[in-house]
Amino acid sequence: ILISQDRGKTWQAKIAPLASGAASGVFSIVFVDQQNGVAVGGTYDRPDIRTGNIAITQDGGNLWKRPKQSPGGYRSCVVAFDRPSDGKHYLIALGKTGADISKDLGNTWHAFSSQGFFAGSVGNEGKTLVAVGSEGRIGVLSLRTLALD
């Protein structure tokens, strides 16, 4: 992972504990604030493997580590949203084998769908997740319907 502390003038390479290889690596990164971030990926052609598919940072990207629990396999996208009622950060990871949510900055993950999606975005002031998958599939999920407590 490459990071810059000076708005892109210089870059430093940092090692993340994700799978590496021809069909492996980091596929998506999101930061919820200046310090806390999550990188997801894994091995694209072996989507059920739950190891080497996520890394978290709590220091702005200088040190990446494995969380306590990983999402359910290869993940190609991670998005973040806040819930105004409690001020907490939430993360959703999407991939071929399903979707997972984290309520603790990526330390633990809980599956909420086995439907595969490849990319997604949170909109409508953090109230809606729109995801895209194979064969032109589009999914729209009201984030209010997820059990966040």
Side-chain angles (χ1 to χ4, degrees), residues 48-120:
D48 294 325
I49 296 176
R50 293 183 62 121
T51 58
N53 66 345
I54 185 168
I56 60 173
T57 183
Q58 298 172 328
D59 65 1
N62 287 304
L63 176 65
W64 293 87
K65 62 181 184 175
R66 287 186 176 96
K68 294 176 185 173
Q69 178 187 357
S70 296
Y74 162 78
R75 294 296 180 254
S76 54
C77 178
V78 61
V79 296
F81 66 98
D82 298 330
R83 190 166 73 172
S85 62
D86 63 14
K88 290 184 180 179
H89 302 294
Y90 297 90
L91 299 157
I92 293 178
L94 305 169
K96 283 182 170 184
T97 59
D100 308 271
I101 188 166
S102 175
K103 305 171 194 175
D104 58 6
L105 300 175
N107 283 294
T108 60
W109 294 85
H110 306 281
F112 69 88
S113 175
S114 60
Q115 183 69 54
F117 287 98
F118 302 126

